[in-house]
Amino acid sequence: FLHVQMKVMRFTIFLFCLIGSFQTVCPQIKGGRFDLSLVEQFVKQGDEYDKLLDRMGKGDNSLTTTEYRYIYYGFQFREEYTGSLDTVHYHIGELIEKKNFREAFDVSKKALEVNPVSLRLLLYCIQAGRELGLPGEQLSLYTKPFLEFTYIIALSGNGNSERTAFKVLSITDEYVMMQFYFGITEVLDQEVMEWNGRIYDCLHITPTPDYDSDIIYFDVTPSMLKMAEIYGEE
């Protein structure tokens, strides 16, 4: 029931953000629309994006959902972004299976310095940290971004079609969303398709109480383009 508990925690965070009187340097989302060109401009001009990362890393509770959106989707415009080519999570997964939680936590924490928006790395820090008995305040450095990022990905669509696909920055984020947000554990078939100049992962699944369709779409355009760019340079 982890995905149900996550939704309760996320809703609490969302209410906290709504009632707060926080100010943000990010352009506000108007009419429910999220302009990615504004995000790119924000990331590439000045050091405001670095300031957001610094605040998140320090556990700043005044970060708003809008700012978390800029952090997550803005990362695709950073030089550090490698799409789905980051394979360190495989090594960390092996460490956790071997119950080497200290090393798993340390490696995950170090990897987050390079990719601070990875859902898988955040999840590993949470899992290993709990096993190590870390205090809640320290764990919140990972649980808060994890809950906020999964929430803003869920806001990006409904997954029922290419037009309303959930927007993610990596394939691993896609699978974390399915398993830990929607409780999806059975993928029956998968295909990559293009539509309207973008690239999508279409997965046929077994429906769950939190996702009642047998098909789910993810927009994986940033990841696929970045990988094509990297391999093209080789």
Side-chain angles (χ1 to χ4, degrees):
F1 302 105
L2 178 59
H3 59 287
V4 176
Q5 295 172 345
M6 284 169 50
K7 289 191 174 183
V8 173
M9 294 173 63
R10 185 181 60 254
F11 183 66
T12 302
I13 293 171
F14 181 56
L15 289 179
F16 179 72
C17 292
L18 283 180
I19 63 177
S21 57
F22 310 131
Q23 294 182 343
T24 175
V25 297
C26 302
Q28 292 298 312
I29 302 168
K30 298 180 180 179
R33 298 179 64 86
F34 188 58
D35 191 338
L36 197 58
S37 65
L38 290 178
V39 180
E40 181 176 9
Q41 181 180 355
F42 175 80
V43 173
K44 293 183 176 181
Q45 293 184 357
D47 61 352
E48 296 298 337
Y49 184 83
D50 288 308
K51 291 179 180 178
L52 287 184
L53 288 179
D54 184 64
R55 289 171 57 196
M56 183 179 73
K58 293 178 178 177
D60 186 348
N61 287 324
S62 69
L63 281 170
T64 66
T65 298
T66 294
E67 289 173 318
Y68 273 106
R69 274 179 164 175
Y70 272 74
I71 291 173
Y72 182 77
Y73 289 114
F75 189 69
Q76 65 187 284
F77 303 113
R78 300 275 288 193
E79 292 183 359
E80 307 95 301
Y81 178 62
T82 60
S84 297
L85 294 182
D86 187 0
T87 59
V88 68
H89 60 271
Y90 294 118
H91 172 56
I92 301 170
E94 292 174 354
L95 291 174
I96 289 181
E97 286 184 4
K98 296 177 181 177
K99 300 187 183 302
N100 191 344
F101 299 117
R102 170 49 63 185
E103 186 176 354
F105 180 81
D106 291 342
V107 174
S108 299
K109 182 179 178 181
K110 185 68 176 178
L112 279 172
E113 295 177 6
V114 179
N115 184 0
V117 303
S118 167
L119 297 185
R120 180 67 69 185
L121 293 176
L122 289 167
L123 184 60
Y124 281 151
C125 277
I126 295 168
Q127 291 176 325
R130 284 177 175 170
E131 293 292 341
L132 292 171
L134 299 184
E137 183 177 354
Q138 187 173 354
L139 281 177
S140 69
L141 295 175
Y142 312 104
T143 55
K144 178 71 181 293
F146 181 83
L147 292 171
E148 288 286 358
F149 290 152
T150 55
Y151 177 64
I152 61 100
I153 291 172
L155 286 180
S156 69
N158 61 27
N160 291 333
S161 68
E162 297 96 328
R163 186 183 300 276
T164 60
F166 296 114
K167 297 174 177 60
V168 293
L169 296 188
S170 71
I171 303 302
T172 54
D173 285 357
E174 169 185 318
Y175 276 86
V176 171
M177 284 296 295
M178 285 195 293
Q179 182 178 1
F180 290 94
Y181 194 94
F182 296 114
I184 297 170
T185 58
E186 292 184 326
V187 176
L188 308 176
D189 193 18
Q190 180 177 5
E191 58 181 320
V192 177
M193 57 181 59
E194 294 187 31
W195 179 76
N196 201 26
R198 298 192 67 82
I199 307 170
Y200 300 87
D201 229 353
C202 173
L203 301 102
H204 297 268
I205 60 167
T206 299
T208 72
D210 291 315
Y211 192 83
D212 59 5
S213 174
D214 61 359
I215 192 168
I216 186 169
Y217 288 85
F218 287 92
D219 185 335
V220 293
T221 305
S223 175
M224 299 299 285
L225 292 182
K226 174 55 69 171
M227 289 191 291
E229 175 187 326
I230 292 174
Y231 285 128
E233 291 177 352
E234 297 178 350

Short mmCIF file of all heavy atoms in Angstrom, two decimals, residues 9 29 32 47 64 67 82 86 96 104 110 124 147 152 161 167 182 232:
data_model
loop_
_atom_site.label_atom_id
_atom_site.label_comp_id
_atom_site.label_asym_id
_atom_site.label_seq_id
_atom_site.Cartn_x
_atom_site.Cartn_y
_atom_site.Cartn_z
N MET A 9 0.51 11.58 1.70
CA MET A 9 1.60 12.48 2.04
C MET A 9 1.71 13.61 1.02
O MET A 9 1.92 14.77 1.37
CB MET A 9 2.91 11.71 2.11
CG MET A 9 2.97 10.70 3.25
SD MET A 9 4.45 9.67 3.16
CE MET A 9 5.72 10.92 3.39
N ILE A 29 2.47 29.59 -13.86
CA ILE A 29 1.72 28.84 -14.86
C ILE A 29 0.34 29.48 -15.00
O ILE A 29 -0.38 29.65 -14.03
CB ILE A 29 1.56 27.37 -14.43
CG1 ILE A 29 2.95 26.75 -14.24
CG2 ILE A 29 0.76 26.58 -15.43
CD1 ILE A 29 2.93 25.41 -13.56
N GLY A 32 -3.47 26.91 -16.30
CA GLY A 32 -3.20 25.49 -16.20
C GLY A 32 -2.18 24.98 -17.21
O GLY A 32 -1.88 23.80 -17.25
N ASP A 47 21.57 32.38 -12.81
CA ASP A 47 21.84 31.27 -11.88
C ASP A 47 20.63 30.91 -11.04
O ASP A 47 20.76 30.26 -10.00
CB ASP A 47 23.01 31.62 -10.98
CG ASP A 47 22.74 32.85 -10.12
OD1 ASP A 47 21.70 33.53 -10.33
OD2 ASP A 47 23.57 33.15 -9.23
N THR A 64 7.73 25.83 -3.90
CA THR A 64 6.36 25.59 -4.34
C THR A 64 6.30 24.51 -5.40
O THR A 64 7.32 24.11 -5.96
CB THR A 64 5.74 26.88 -4.90
OG1 THR A 64 6.45 27.23 -6.11
CG2 THR A 64 5.85 28.02 -3.91
N GLU A 67 7.87 25.68 -8.56
CA GLU A 67 9.33 25.63 -8.54
C GLU A 67 9.83 24.20 -8.72
O GLU A 67 10.84 23.97 -9.40
CB GLU A 67 9.84 26.24 -7.24
CG GLU A 67 9.67 27.75 -7.21
CD GLU A 67 10.00 28.36 -5.86
OE1 GLU A 67 9.62 27.77 -4.83
OE2 GLU A 67 10.64 29.43 -5.85
N THR A 82 21.60 13.29 -19.28
CA THR A 82 22.00 12.23 -20.22
C THR A 82 20.83 11.35 -20.64
O THR A 82 21.03 10.23 -21.14
CB THR A 82 23.10 11.35 -19.61
OG1 THR A 82 22.61 10.75 -18.40
CG2 THR A 82 24.35 12.15 -19.32
N ASP A 86 21.96 6.86 -17.67
CA ASP A 86 22.54 6.69 -16.34
C ASP A 86 22.26 5.28 -15.83
O ASP A 86 21.12 4.90 -15.61
CB ASP A 86 21.93 7.72 -15.39
CG ASP A 86 22.60 7.72 -14.03
OD1 ASP A 86 23.53 6.93 -13.83
OD2 ASP A 86 22.19 8.52 -13.17
N ILE A 96 21.36 -2.88 -2.56
CA ILE A 96 20.19 -3.00 -1.70
C ILE A 96 19.77 -4.46 -1.57
O ILE A 96 19.39 -4.92 -0.48
CB ILE A 96 19.04 -2.12 -2.23
CG1 ILE A 96 19.37 -0.64 -2.01
CG2 ILE A 96 17.72 -2.48 -1.56
CD1 ILE A 96 18.32 0.33 -2.46
N ALA A 104 24.78 1.67 -0.37
CA ALA A 104 23.70 2.03 -1.29
C ALA A 104 23.28 3.47 -1.08
O ALA A 104 23.07 4.22 -2.05
CB ALA A 104 22.51 1.10 -1.10
N LYS A 110 25.57 10.43 -3.70
CA LYS A 110 26.59 10.98 -4.59
C LYS A 110 26.05 11.13 -6.01
O LYS A 110 26.30 12.14 -6.68
CB LYS A 110 27.82 10.07 -4.59
CG LYS A 110 29.00 10.60 -5.38
CD LYS A 110 29.59 11.83 -4.74
CE LYS A 110 30.83 12.31 -5.47
NZ LYS A 110 31.40 13.55 -4.87
N TYR A 124 15.92 5.18 -3.87
CA TYR A 124 16.96 4.38 -3.23
C TYR A 124 17.47 5.04 -1.95
O TYR A 124 17.75 4.36 -0.96
CB TYR A 124 18.13 4.16 -4.20
CG TYR A 124 17.89 3.07 -5.21
CD1 TYR A 124 18.49 3.11 -6.46
CD2 TYR A 124 17.08 1.97 -4.91
CE1 TYR A 124 18.28 2.10 -7.40
CE2 TYR A 124 16.85 0.97 -5.83
CZ TYR A 124 17.45 1.03 -7.08
OH TYR A 124 17.24 0.03 -7.99
N LEU A 147 8.07 12.98 -3.71
CA LEU A 147 6.62 13.16 -3.75
C LEU A 147 6.22 14.30 -4.67
O LEU A 147 5.23 14.21 -5.40
CB LEU A 147 6.10 13.41 -2.33
CG LEU A 147 6.20 12.24 -1.36
CD1 LEU A 147 5.86 12.67 0.06
CD2 LEU A 147 5.30 11.11 -1.81
N ILE A 152 4.00 16.27 -9.90
CA ILE A 152 3.97 17.14 -11.07
C ILE A 152 3.99 16.32 -12.37
O ILE A 152 3.43 16.76 -13.38
CB ILE A 152 5.09 18.20 -11.03
CG1 ILE A 152 6.46 17.55 -11.02
CG2 ILE A 152 4.93 19.12 -9.84
CD1 ILE A 152 7.12 17.55 -12.36
N SER A 161 -3.58 8.70 -23.90
CA SER A 161 -3.28 8.83 -25.32
C SER A 161 -1.96 9.56 -25.50
O SER A 161 -1.37 10.05 -24.52
CB SER A 161 -4.40 9.61 -26.02
OG SER A 161 -4.39 10.97 -25.60
N LYS A 167 4.58 13.16 -18.96
CA LYS A 167 5.88 13.63 -19.43
C LYS A 167 6.96 13.30 -18.41
O LYS A 167 6.91 13.77 -17.28
CB LYS A 167 5.82 15.12 -19.71
CG LYS A 167 4.84 15.50 -20.81
CD LYS A 167 4.71 17.01 -20.96
CE LYS A 167 3.78 17.34 -22.12
NZ LYS A 167 2.42 16.80 -21.94
N PHE A 182 1.07 4.56 -9.40
CA PHE A 182 -0.17 3.94 -9.88
C PHE A 182 -0.32 2.49 -9.45
O PHE A 182 -1.35 1.87 -9.72
CB PHE A 182 -0.26 4.04 -11.40
CG PHE A 182 -0.34 5.45 -11.91
CD1 PHE A 182 0.70 5.98 -12.67
CD2 PHE A 182 -1.43 6.25 -11.63
CE1 PHE A 182 0.64 7.28 -13.14
CE2 PHE A 182 -1.50 7.55 -12.09
CZ PHE A 182 -0.46 8.07 -12.86
N GLY A 232 25.03 10.00 -31.58
CA GLY A 232 25.38 10.64 -32.84
C GLY A 232 26.78 11.24 -32.79
O GLY A 232 27.51 11.25 -33.78
#
